[in-house]
Amino acid sequence: MTTLTIDVLNDKALNLLKDLELLKIIRVRKDKKVVNSSSENLITKYKGAMTTQPLREIDKQLDDLRKEWE
């Protein structure tokens, strides 16, 4: 037996896989560890995580960080 991980891109493909499972050709298991990484989901997940800052403030923070390492 060989285990494969596939990404189903279309509901028709999922239906085909279900048919193959009914014919006892394959076994379909849902992996709970798989994370959907579509760009739309990532945008909603991280939207608002960072606020916009003026360039001067960012430069000051970088300078402060660099001075700490000296």
Side-chain angles (χ1 to χ4, degrees), residues 7-45:
D7 295 322
V8 177
L9 302 178
N10 188 309
D11 287 337
K12 291 179 184 179
L14 186 58
N15 290 335
L16 288 170
L17 291 170
K18 288 179 182 178
D19 289 342
L20 290 172
E21 186 177 30
L22 288 172
L23 293 169
K24 298 191 185 287
I25 296 173
I26 65 169
R27 180 179 4 160
V28 176
R29 292 182 286 161
K30 290 186 180 180
D31 188 0
K32 294 179 184 178
K33 296 178 185 175
V34 175
V35 176
N36 187 356
S37 62
S38 71
S39 60
E40 186 174 312
N41 288 340
L42 288 176
I43 290 170
T44 57
K45 181 177 179 181

